[in-house]
Amino acid sequence: MNILLLGSGGREHALAWKIAASPLAERLYCAPGNAGIAKEAEIVALDVADHAAVIAFCRAQQIGLVVVGPEGPLCAGIVDDLAAAGIKAFGPSKAAARLEGSKGFTKDLCRANNIPTAAYERFTAADPAKAYARAQGAPIVVKADGLAAGKGVVVAQSVTEAEAAIDMMFAGGLGAAGAEVVIEEFLTGEEASFFALCDGERAIPLVSAQDHKRVLDGDQGPNTGGMGAYSPAPVMTAELTQRTMAEIVLPTVRAMKSMGTPYKGVLYAGLMITAQGPKLIEYNVRFGDPECQVLMLRLMSDLVPALLACCDGVLGSFDLRWYPDAALTVVMAAKGYPGSYAKGSVIEGLDAAAAIEGVEIFHAGTLMENGNVVANGGRVLNVCAIGKEVVTAQARAYQAIDLVRWSDGFCRRDIGWRAIARERA
Ligand code: AMP
């Protein structure tokens, strides 16, 4: 079949790489794509926000499956519009995408279904929100209800900081996303990224992963979209995986079905592994970026039948096979990220880096200009590697990075440190 992939990041390059390897994929298109994706798919200049244009393209190219990478189009209802036009698409409906699109919706769903999560309240005005924050005390977490491109969460170390965040959000600092605010208890523990494929009724877990959100070594500095990831995450024991499915994912799938908005697609649970067990920090309604990159490297099975099984509601008979090897990815970002950064610098040495055994380079924010790969975003490259253990994968990834010549770029040098410490122990 012909397949259309929507998105332009490292996640989509990894998906394109895996989809292109499927014997089921005849022609693979991607919009808007990037310079790396162009090696796997035909890039099409489609405005993804223009659903009518996407539908027209699908009809003209006889697209049998649309795979939606990022949350924006999902929350905008692209899967509903494609379905209404008779086009199959992987990802949740607009109503089901509220699990990411509204933090208040997800918190209420957790409360109604006894799903472990941080204690919280929802607010539509600053004064009662501040009174609640004062009564609870710091540290406390202030979250914009809607999609805020990763800027909607403030972990406040003092009540003053919480009050400032509340004022910023209600003053429109995050646009419509901050018209409602969730204030929640600060959880302590180790974070993990948990993924499950869902077909509306059933869910099957993927292998474990962890990412590094902070920009600097030692997990210091401001939050980013993710500076690296690895799989497996040794913190996710078989028992924790089983509890996460039983206590968090499956009750969510059941609740969504009973509300008449069944969840189909990949469900990404951001977890805090607390002393009491796994608690849900938040849901995302798509693959994590950069976690997707390491998951695709470890996936032995064909991805396309798995995506189709989610769409068709037939996950029940499905079994995914994985390579036992570990995978790790290091993000190379433009200097200045997650703040302001320049675009347009030339990146060299990618072929030599990719030639190292076990290494795969996925592009995140790149562009082809006069035959050169140039930086075109904050997170620019994902240098990935597989290896017997996380420590081997890490060594290969940094060996490859040392061959990349890009003076405007930087990366963390310690991706995987928690996993490697556990491997050593
Ligand atoms: P989110 O965008 O909801 O994943 O939040 C971004 C980051 O903020 C998370 O990865 C956590 O590091 C942190 N965070 C969010 N909620 C909490 C919480 N209730 N307790 C502690 N940390 C949190």
Side-chain angles (χ1 to χ4, degrees):
M1 63 170 56
N2 295 337
I3 298 174
L4 170 65
L5 172 65
L6 301 180
S8 64
R11 166 183 52 213
E12 286 76 22
H13 189 179
L15 290 172
W17 174 80
K18 192 67 189 163
I19 292 169
S22 169
L24 292 176
E26 261 171 64
R27 299 188 81 157
L28 173 61
Y29 300 91
C30 182
N34 65 37
I37 297 173
K39 288 189 227 155
E40 311 288 351
E42 289 175 50
I43 302 298
V44 277
L46 264 179
D47 177 4
V48 175
D50 184 349
H51 295 183
V54 175
I55 290 167
F57 177 85
C58 291
R59 290 203 169 121
Q61 302 304 328
Q62 295 174 321
I63 299 294
L65 175 67
V66 178
V67 180
V68 187
E71 65 278 13
L74 295 167
C75 291
I78 196 160
V79 170
D80 310 61
D81 290 343
L82 287 165
I87 300 160
K88 197 175 281 186
F90 175 79
S93 66
K94 181 176 184 172
R98 281 182 298 170
L99 285 174
E100 178 163 1
S102 168
K103 296 208 189 281
F105 170 83
T106 296
K107 297 298 285 189
D108 286 355
L109 182 136
C110 289
R111 186 177 273 165
N113 294 279
N114 290 318
I115 294 170
T117 189
Y120 75 102
E121 288 302 332
R122 301 173 71 171
F123 298 94
T124 51
D127 285 344
K130 287 194 227 173
Y132 179 77
R134 277 194 298 273
Q136 298 298 310
I140 191 152
V141 185
V142 180
K143 299 186 173 183
D145 182 75
L147 292 185
K151 296 188 169 32
V153 175
V154 175
V155 179
Q157 297 302 331
S158 67
V159 170
T160 317
E161 204 186 322
E163 290 182 325
I166 292 164
D167 280 332
M168 177 274 287
M169 290 181 193
F170 282 117
L174 298 171
E180 187 179 331
V181 163
V182 172
I183 302 186
E184 66 179 41
E185 170 200 4
F186 175 78
L187 298 174
T188 48
E190 189 170 331
E191 288 182 52
S193 305
F194 191 90
F195 299 89
L197 290 180
C198 306
D199 71 355
E201 267 184 59
R202 282 157 295 236
I204 53 174
L206 307 187
V207 287
S208 61
Q210 255 174 324
D211 76 340
H212 292 269
K213 289 223 162 56
R214 305 297 196 94
V215 73
L216 301 175
D217 283 13
D219 295 316
Q220 303 294 311
N223 261 323
T224 68
M227 294 302 291
Y230 47 92
S231 172
V235 69
M236 280 311 287
T237 58
E239 188 220 338
L240 282 174
T241 298
Q242 190 275 331
R243 283 189 63 181
T244 302
M245 287 300 287
E247 296 170 20
I248 298 176
V249 173
L250 291 171
T252 301
V253 171
R254 281 196 292 272
M256 293 302 283
K257 186 178 176 231
S258 72
M259 290 161 72
T261 55
Y263 188 88
K264 293 182 174 193
V266 60
L267 185 62
Y268 163 4
L271 301 178
M272 189 71 85
I273 310 302
T274 71
Q276 298 91 48
K279 291 193 179 182
L280 181 71
I281 299 177
E282 63 156 3
Y283 273 133
N284 295 300
V285 297
R286 31 85 191 171
F287 282 106
D289 185 344
E291 292 94 326
C292 183
Q293 290 81 315
V294 290
L295 295 178
M296 292 305 116
L297 284 171
R298 293 194 61 208
L299 182 59
M300 186 189 291
S301 305
D302 188 347
L303 177 65
V304 176
L307 303 180
L308 289 169
C310 293
C311 301
D312 296 342
V314 295
L315 262 188
S317 54
F318 224 82
D319 185 29
L320 286 175
R321 299 181 66 209
W322 302 89
Y323 293 111
D325 309 64
L328 179 139
T329 180
V330 181
V331 170
M332 296 189 78
K335 282 179 187 163
Y337 175 81
S340 59
Y341 51 82
K343 290 183 180 179
S345 51
V346 173
I347 303 165
E348 294 177 299
L350 290 177
D351 289 342
I356 291 175
E357 191 190 344
V359 167
E360 198 66 51
I361 298 181
F362 294 127
H363 291 218
T366 63
L367 201 68
M368 215 50 181
E369 228 174 57
N370 307 320
N372 293 316
V373 174
V374 299
N376 190 42
R379 292 189 297 166
V380 173
L381 294 169
N382 298 117
V383 180
C384 314
I386 55 168
K388 269 214 164 351
E389 293 172 302
V390 175
V391 69
T392 345
Q394 187 205 48
R396 285 172 168 173
Y398 282 114
Q399 203 188 337
I401 279 179
D402 291 339
L403 295 176
V404 176
R405 295 191 304 281
W406 177 32
S407 55
D408 272 359
F410 77 98
C411 67
R412 279 181 58 166
R413 298 296 312 193
D414 65 342
I415 299 301
W417 67 269
R418 283 178 204 277
I420 291 166
R422 281 204 173 83
E423 282 177 355
R424 291 207 172 110

